[in-house]
Structure formats: structure tokens, C-alpha cells
């Protein structure tokens, strides 16, 4: 799951497209906190770009960097780590200068990326520099555009190239692209798995356009609900500068099956996705979950419940409906620290465990000697749920019941949401065991009640403007909406394992560089250094000791070594006084993009 944005102003002399994109990044920050970026195009086709690891406030220095990105159109991206992505080099937008100069953002996942990479290498002779399938898709598009053989392309050329992308690529995606000096393009997979909408606003009699993952960004941009529409499955849209959007069904619609996890967890409640209100979906989920709670628990247990407590914030809406239907009091027993990452999006298990207590605090007066029903949007690994149950008990709760608005998550997500490997999912591989009872034991709750899959589907489908509404529900059933090649799920497991280890090592290196490393961090870094240099590990303990003490083999004192490390990490400031950290920031010079006169 990522967030994508694209903006084009009617006035080609405008220099403020980046400001609109920057605002939209904050409105969609919940869709990805790993990395973000903006690329813009100014008159003459010159592209300016700034991207890096971290949240929008960090990458753009609380907006100070936006002025470095002039242009009347641009694209933006927020990255949530998908399988195979973690490095700074994988921050988007991606850029290729051949042909025509293309910037590209992508939300989703390709399930035939290995074959596509082979095609690019063996036939198209295009180099792929990262493990991101977003870069693969960009190069597929670039190769198809190159097939025109023209010095300049038109809309028909672009539509033809987009059609050929659908013939090659499999999976779920929503993408935007910017062609230097030409305009914007966008497309959505033929199943409608990943969301994408477009809207317009009128400024001084001229019309500006924005594309985004969620409608809330378009509303802030100034679009009215009447001016917003979803890009349909298999549909592409091209907006040339100074012209109206052109829509075309470039591939047959194979289904209309948005990922149901958008409604459960990822999307903001004030968004509309494919004509379905996220807020109303969550109300329906709460009402249906209350019925399941009354069915699963004994009448005595239900009568003993004193209060219903939501796990903020995604479950707030559903919990309110659960409480009302069960005739129980709703209280805000957990207070959320708004200045902390979502623990689910945190990259490692250790970060998630410590993050729970930093994210939530329990109010003892609302738990002491009470039987509480906790309501959360879902249970993934169980790490957060277990910590929350323990926090409730530590605050004095007598009994703790735990209800999930989503069914048991038993299988991998393969369309761009890196939930977890299958073996990490708490509800997976339970065999003939009763999942509710098994999970209750693992998270140490008195009982766990899951929403049923039919009820979840009905909660969303009842609000759809389409009859016979489908959803992508593979994480709950193992039955995916697209064909899945034999061996792909195993490949995905391996890729996630490699990515997880890469992230652990990356954070260990950062901890050592900053002087905050624990012994395990140092062991990882020393072991990696020995592995890269081909040395034997016999002196590993000595290396750990030296690293912990900050000393070098030649006996130089640790103080100097640490100071040198800091100096090399924070190596330079730009001419506005901003410190640039090469490990976390990537200001890519496209035609000397950051060297323009200020």
C-alpha cells in the first residue's frame, strides 16, 4: 500500500504544483511512512525532484524544500514498504530520461515481476537498479513508448503503449506518470484492486486536475464531490497540458474488486473509494460484529461486559456501533499519542513491540475492576493485540474480551501490502484448532471474536452503487482475484525474508553510526563488514568490543572515531542552511534540478 498523487495546472506558467502535491502528501501520510517524494516539470520540460526516506515533514523540511520544485505539473508518492522495498534508492517517483523523460509513481505489486525483469534484461536491454517492481513497471512503459520510434509522442501513442503494459503485467496497481513537457498519465489494474480517483477545480475560469489514491486529497485540493470520479478497472487517463482529460478503456474490465482491507484499515474514514463510504462501511462492520459477539459469547459473558473500548483510531467508528447494539457504555480507555508511527507499519517486530506502549496509554480509572470488550480493526501478527490486552490487565481489568472487525488473516497479501509472511500471521496454520480460541490463548485474552468474511463483504457491498459487488479478500481465504503462478507465493516469502534482514541491518548501521547501538546491532554490523571483506569471523568479539568502545585497530581513541563518523554522516548543508543526510535523503540531479537560481 502506497499513496500516489498527480497534479496539473491549467496555467503552464504556474510554479506551485509542488505545493498542492505537498499538501496532499500530508492528507495521505497514513498510506505510507517509509519514504516519499515529489517530481515536477517546469516550462521547457525541465524536471525537478526531491525524495528520500522518512515522512513528508522530514523529507521536505516542513515544507521548506517545496520552493525548490517549480513547475505547473508533478507527481508525488508515499511509500509503505512492500515486499522487496526498503532502500533509499527505492523512494519514488522513479525517473528515466529515455525516452522523453518519464517520472513514475506506483501503488501495488506485480506478481510476474521475475519474468518482466528477464524480458527487460534479455530483450529490451534496460537496466533495473533496484528490487522494486515499480521500477520494472516504469521501464516496461518506457520500452513500449520507445517502440513508437518518434521524436515526440501524442495521446494515441501513449494509449497504445499503456494497452501493451496490460498485456505484459499481472497484479494489482494504480499508477501515475509524467512525461516531460507533455502531460500526465494514469492507469488502474483491470480488477480495480488498488484505488485511484481524479478530480478537478476551477481557478480564474481555468481547470486544474488532481489524481490521488483517496478522495480526501481531492476535496482539500478544491474538488467538489460532483467533480470527483474513480478511474475504472482497466481504464487509463491522459491529461495533456492545456487540455481536458481523455479517458479510455485500454483493457477489458476483468472484475471490479477493490481490496477490502482499504475499508477495514488503510483508508481514511472521510474518503470515498469506488463509490463506497469508508466511514459507513465501518459502521456496518460494527453492527454486524455486535451480532457475532452476541452469538459467540455466552449470555452470561455478554451481560458481564461493563464497557466497550475501541483501539484508536481505525476501530473508533465500528466500536461505537458495537456498543450501541449491545447496549453497553462506550469509553475511550486508550489514549493515542498522535506523534508516533502506526505500529503495523513499523518495519521490525522489536519496533512494533516497543511502539505499542509509546502509541497508546491506558486510563486506569476506566479499566479498574471492569470487564472490558476491546474492539480493533484487525489482528495481524498478534504483537500489538497481545500488548494491548496486557495493558488492559495492568490497568486493572478483570476480564478482557477482544473483537476484530476483520476475519482471521491467514494468507499473504500479494498486491502491494506487506502485511507479513504467512508464518508470522497469528491466525495462520492453526489446522483443526478453533481459531478464536487459539488466538485468544496467544494474545492472552479471555475470548476473541472475529468478524465473519461474509459479514465483512456484506458490510461493504451493501453501500456499493454496483450490484453483485466483489472484493479482493485473498488474505482471509487464500483465494486471490487474479491468477497466481505456481511458486510465486514461495518467492514472495523469500523476498520478504531478505527485505526484513536488510532493514534490520540498515537500522543496526544507523544505530552504530549515531552511538545508540546495542550489542546485537554491533554484532550485525561487524558480521556484515567481515562478510563483505571476506574475512573469517574469528575476531568477531574483538570487533564488537572495538565498535562498542568506538576505537579502531590502530589504537586511535574512540572519541575521534565517533566524531569522524558523525562528520561523514552529516557531510554538507545546502546554501539555505539545511543539513543534508546522504543516508536518508536523495536529491537526484535531473538536469541539475536543485541548482536553479533561488
Amino acid at each position: 500500500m502506497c499513496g500516489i498523487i498527480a497534479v496539473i495546472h491549467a496555467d503552464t506558467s504556474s510554479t506551485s504544483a509542488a505545493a498542492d502535491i505537498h499538501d496532499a502528501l500530508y492528507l495521505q501520510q497514513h498510506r505510507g511512512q517509509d519514504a516519499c517524494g515529489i517530481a515536477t516539470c517546469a516550462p521547457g520540460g525541465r524536471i525537478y525532484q526531491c525524495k528520500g526516506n522518512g515522512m513528508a515533514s522530514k523529507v521536505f523540511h516542513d515544507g521548506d524544500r517545496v520552493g525548490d520544485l517549480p513547475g505547473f505539473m508533478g507527481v508525488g508518492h508515499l511509500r509503505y514498504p512492500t515486499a522487496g522495498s526498503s532502500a533509499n534508492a527505492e523512494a519514488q517517483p522513479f525517473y528515466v530520461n529515455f525516452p522523453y523523460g518519464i517520472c513514475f509513481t506506483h501503488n501495488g505489486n506485480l506478481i510476474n515481476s521475475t519474468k518482466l525483469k528477464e524480458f527487460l534484461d534479455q530483450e529490451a536491454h534496460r537496466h533495473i537498479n533496484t528490487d522494486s517492481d515499480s521500477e520494472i513497471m516504469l521501464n516496461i512503459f518506457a520500452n513500449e513508448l520507445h517502440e513508437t520510434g518518434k521524436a515526440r509522442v501524442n495521446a494515441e501513442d501513449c494509449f497504445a503503449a499503456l494497452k501493451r503494459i496490460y498485456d505484459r503485467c499481472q497484479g494489482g496497481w494504480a499508477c501515475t506518470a509524467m512525461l516531460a513537457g507533455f502531460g500526465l498519465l494514469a492507469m488502474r489494474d483491470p480488477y480495480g484492486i488498488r484505488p485511484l480517483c481524479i478530480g478537478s477545480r476551477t481557478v480564474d475560469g481555468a481547470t486544474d486536475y488532481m489524481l490521488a489514491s483517496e478522495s480526501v486529497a481531492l476535496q482539500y485540493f478544491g474538488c467538489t464531490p460532483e467533480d470527483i470520479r474513480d478511474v475504472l478497472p482497466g481504464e487509463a487517463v491522459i491529461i495533456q497540458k492545456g487540455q481536458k482529460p481523455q479517458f479510455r478503456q485500454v483493457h477489458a474490465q476483468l472484475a471490479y474488486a477493490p481490496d477490502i482491507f482499504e475499508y477495514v484499515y488503510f483508508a481514511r474514514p472521510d474518503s470515498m473509494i469506488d463509490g463506497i463510504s469508508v466511514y459507513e462501511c465501518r459502521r456496518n462492520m460494527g453492527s454486524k460484529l455486535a451480532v457475532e459477539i452476541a452469538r459467540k459469547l455466552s449470555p452470561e459473558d455478554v451481560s458481564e461486559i461493563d464497557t466497550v473500548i475501541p483501539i484508536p483510531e481505525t476501530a473508533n467508528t465500528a466500536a461505537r456501533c458495537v456498543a450501541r447494539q449491545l447496549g453497553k457504555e462506550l469509553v475511550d480507555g486508550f489514549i493515542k499519542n498522535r506523534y508516533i508511527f502506526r505500529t503495523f507499519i513499523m518495519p521490525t517486530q522489536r519496533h512494533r513491540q516497543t511502539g505499542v506502549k509509546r502509541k497508546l496509554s491506558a486510563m486506569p480509572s476506566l479499566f479498574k475492576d471492569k470487564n472490558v470488550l476491546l474492539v480493533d480493526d484487525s489482528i495481524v501478527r498478534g504483537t500489538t493485540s497481545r500488548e494491548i490486552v496486557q495493558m488492559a490487565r495492568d490497568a486493572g481489568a478483570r476480564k478482557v474480551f477482544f473483537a476484530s472487525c476483520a476475519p482471521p488473516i491467514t494468507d499473504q497479501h500479494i498486491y502491494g501490502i506487506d502485511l507479513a509472511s504467512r508464518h508470522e500471521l497469528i491466525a495462520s496454520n492453526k489446522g483443526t484448532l478453533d481459531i478464536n480460541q487459539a488466538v485468544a490463548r496467544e494474545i492472552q485474552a479471555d475470548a476473541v471474536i472475529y468478524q465473519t468474511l461474509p459479514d465483512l463483504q456484506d458490510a461493504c457491498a451493501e453501500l456499493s452503487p454496483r450490484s453483485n459487488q466483489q472484493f479482493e479478500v485473498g488474505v482471509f481465504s487464500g483465494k486471490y482475484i487474479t491468477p497466481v503462478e505456481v511458486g510465486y507465493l514461495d518467492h514472495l516469502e523469500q523476498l520478504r525474508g531478505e527485505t526484513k534482514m536488510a532493514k534490520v541491518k540498515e537500522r543496526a548501521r544507523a544505530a552504530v553510526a549515531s552511538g545508540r547501538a546495542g550489542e546485537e546491532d554491533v554484532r550485525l554490523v561487524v558480521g556484515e563488514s567481515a562478510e563483505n571483506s571476506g574475512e573469517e569471523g574469528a575476531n568477531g568479539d574483538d570487533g564488537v568490543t572495538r565498535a562498542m568502545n568506538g576505537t579502531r585497530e590502530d589504537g586511535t581513541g574512540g572519541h575521534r572515531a565517533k566524531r569522524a563518523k558523525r562528520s561523514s554522516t552529516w557531510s554538507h548543508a545546502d546554501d539555505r542552511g539545511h543539513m543534508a543526510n546522504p543516508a536518508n535523503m536523495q536529491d537526484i540531479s535531473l538536469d541539475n534540478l536543485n541548482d536553479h537560481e533561488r
Side-chain angles (χ1 to χ4, degrees):
M1 176 197 72
C2 296
I4 59 176
I5 302 129
V7 166
I8 184 165
H9 289 171
D11 180 7
T12 56
S13 65
S14 167
T15 60
S16 60
D20 287 326
I21 297 170
H22 180 253
D23 288 342
L25 291 178
Y26 285 96
L27 290 164
Q28 296 191 140
Q29 186 75 78
H30 59 284
R31 299 192 66 84
Q33 301 171 348
D34 199 49
C36 65
I38 296 174
T40 59
C41 182
R46 188 173 178 184
I47 292 175
Y48 298 84
Q49 179 171 276
C50 176
K51 62 179 182 176
N53 282 351
M55 297 172 70
S57 59
K58 173 186 175 183
V59 173
F60 296 100
H61 296 180
D62 293 319
D64 286 351
R65 299 302 305 275
V66 174
D68 297 343
L69 302 167
F72 67 95
M73 66 175 175
V75 292
H77 188 267
L78 294 152
R79 188 183 72 191
Y80 164 80
T82 56
S85 72
S86 68
N88 181 58
E90 295 175 10
Q92 297 183 42
F94 280 120
Y95 169 81
V96 291
N97 66 353
F98 176 78
Y100 314 120
I102 307 169
C103 293
F104 192 84
T105 68
H106 170 246
N107 172 28
N109 198 51
L110 298 176
I111 61 176
N112 65 331
S113 57
T114 301
K115 288 185 176 180
L116 293 173
K117 195 168 185 178
E118 290 174 359
F119 161 77
L120 290 169
D121 179 37
Q122 299 297 321
E123 298 184 41
H125 311 305
R126 299 187 72 93
H127 175 67
I128 302 301
N129 197 51
T130 71
D131 294 323
S132 171
D133 56 1
S134 304
E135 188 189 10
I136 291 174
M137 199 164 193
L138 164 59
N139 277 273
I140 292 289
F141 177 49
N143 184 68
E144 297 301 339
L145 274 183
H146 173 58
E147 293 298 317
T148 65
K150 294 182 177 181
R152 297 288 185 272
V153 290
N154 56 36
E156 289 302 318
D157 296 324
C158 293
F159 276 128
L162 292 172
K163 183 181 185 303
R164 293 192 293 271
I165 287 181
Y166 284 81
D167 295 336
R168 291 191 184 277
C169 298
Q170 299 172 19
W173 66 79
C175 305
T176 65
M178 179 175 66
L179 268 64
F182 176 83
L184 300 178
L185 303 88
M187 58 180 170
R188 191 178 181 191
D189 70 81
Y191 299 89
I193 298 170
R194 300 262 61 88
L196 183 63
C197 55
I198 181 172
S200 62
R201 71 178 181 191
T202 301
V203 179
D204 297 329
T207 304
D208 302 333
Y209 297 94
M210 174 183 276
L211 293 124
S213 298
E214 293 187 35
S215 63
V216 64
L218 304 184
Q219 291 170 332
Y220 185 84
F221 183 63
C223 307
T224 66
E226 295 74 25
D227 295 325
I228 298 173
R229 60 155 287 191
D230 294 290
V231 177
L232 300 176
E235 186 177 48
V237 55
I238 294 175
I239 314 174
Q240 290 181 252
K241 62 180 180 179
Q243 298 186 25
K244 293 181 179 180
Q246 300 179 59
F247 297 90
R248 185 168 301 178
Q249 195 72 35
V250 295
H251 192 284
Q253 188 177 120
L254 301 180
Y256 205 140
D259 187 344
I260 207 165
F261 230 89
E262 292 281 354
Y263 303 98
V264 171
Y265 179 79
F266 287 117
R268 279 177 51 143
D270 48 349
S271 284
M272 295 280 292
I273 295 180
D274 293 308
I276 301 173
S277 164
V278 175
Y279 174 78
E280 293 298 336
C281 278
R282 291 175 185 169
R283 282 173 54 89
N284 279 0
M285 290 175 204
S287 297
K288 293 178 185 298
L289 181 58
V291 173
E292 184 66 10
I293 290 168
R295 191 177 73 84
K296 285 287 187 181
L297 294 181
S298 69
E300 292 77 15
D301 282 337
V302 174
S303 66
E304 284 183 351
I305 295 172
D306 295 304
T307 57
V308 175
I309 299 177
I311 309 305
E313 293 176 335
T314 318
N316 289 358
T317 305
R320 191 176 301 114
C321 294
V322 169
R324 184 178 64 248
Q325 189 146 334
L326 293 179
K328 303 295 181 180
E329 182 184 11
L330 178 78
V331 299
D332 295 320
F334 288 106
I335 304 302
K336 181 179 180 180
N337 176 5
R338 297 176 184 272
Y339 305 100
I340 188 71
F341 290 103
R342 279 179 166 183
T343 55
F344 170 73
I345 293 181
M346 285 184 171
T348 66
Q349 188 80 340
R350 187 181 66 176
H351 281 83
R352 282 186 289 273
Q353 288 173 327
T354 58
V356 175
K357 291 184 178 180
R358 286 188 294 161
K359 184 180 77 168
L360 296 176
S361 61
M363 296 179 65
S365 62
L366 299 178
F367 287 91
K368 186 172 176 57
D369 298 327
K370 301 281 181 66
N371 298 323
V372 297
L373 171 63
L374 307 183
V375 179
D376 205 352
D377 51 74
S378 59
I379 305 173
V380 183
R381 295 173 178 87
T383 305
T384 300
S385 304
R386 188 181 304 112
E387 291 289 329
I388 288 171
V389 169
Q390 188 58 51
M391 288 172 67
R393 295 197 188 282
D394 291 344
R398 284 200 307 259
K399 287 186 177 181
V400 181
F401 303 104
F402 201 103
S404 168
C405 294
I409 299 173
T410 57
D411 292 87
Q412 304 173 73
H413 197 289
I414 66 173
Y415 303 116
I417 301 174
D418 193 18
L419 284 177
S421 298
R422 197 170 188 273
H423 71 273
E424 294 177 304
L425 298 170
I426 193 170
S428 184
N429 298 317
K430 290 295 185 278
T432 58
L433 295 175
D434 180 281
I435 288 183
N436 293 48
Q437 294 180 8
V439 173
R441 282 196 297 270
E442 290 195 38
I443 70 171
Q444 299 172 4
D446 290 278
V448 165
I449 307 94
Y450 279 106
Q451 183 93 264
T452 68
L453 182 54
D455 279 350
L456 175 60
Q457 291 172 302
D458 288 345
C460 301
E462 290 169 2
L463 300 165
S464 174
R466 294 165 294 279
S467 59
N468 302 316
Q469 175 69 62
Q470 292 178 274
F471 295 97
E472 160 48 37
V473 295
V475 293
F476 305 119
S477 64
K479 298 176 182 177
Y480 301 99
I481 195 71
T482 68
V484 180
E485 294 182 359
V486 175
Y488 176 73
L489 296 180
D490 292 337
H491 165 72
L492 199 61
E493 286 278 316
Q494 179 182 354
L495 192 61
R496 281 184 170 132
E498 292 170 354
T499 302
K500 181 178 179 180
M501 180 52 66
K503 290 176 183 177
V504 170
K505 289 182 178 180
E506 180 181 343
R507 281 161 180 79
R509 289 193 295 271
V512 169
S514 64
R516 297 180 289 103
E519 187 171 340
E520 185 59 33
D521 293 324
V522 176
R523 287 187 185 279
L524 277 171
V525 173
V526 171
E528 183 181 36
S529 299
E531 181 180 325
N532 291 340
S533 64
E535 296 176 2
E536 297 294 329
N539 295 322
D541 289 340
D542 290 340
V544 170
T545 302
R546 287 195 301 274
M548 292 291 285
N549 293 333
T551 56
R552 301 190 308 219
E553 264 188 72
D554 61 6
T556 304
H559 178 69
R560 178 182 294 180
K562 289 180 181 178
R563 186 174 59 215
K565 176 64 73 174
R566 284 196 298 271
S567 175
S568 65
T569 301
W570 295 93
S571 57
H572 65 279
D574 67 18
D575 58 6
R576 296 169 72 178
H578 297 308
M579 297 306 296
N581 182 349
N584 295 319
M585 188 70 69
Q586 188 179 39
D587 292 336
I588 297 179
S589 182
L590 310 178
D591 193 15
N592 297 318
L593 84 154
N594 284 330
D595 296 336
H596 65 284
E597 292 184 8
R598 303 182 193 280

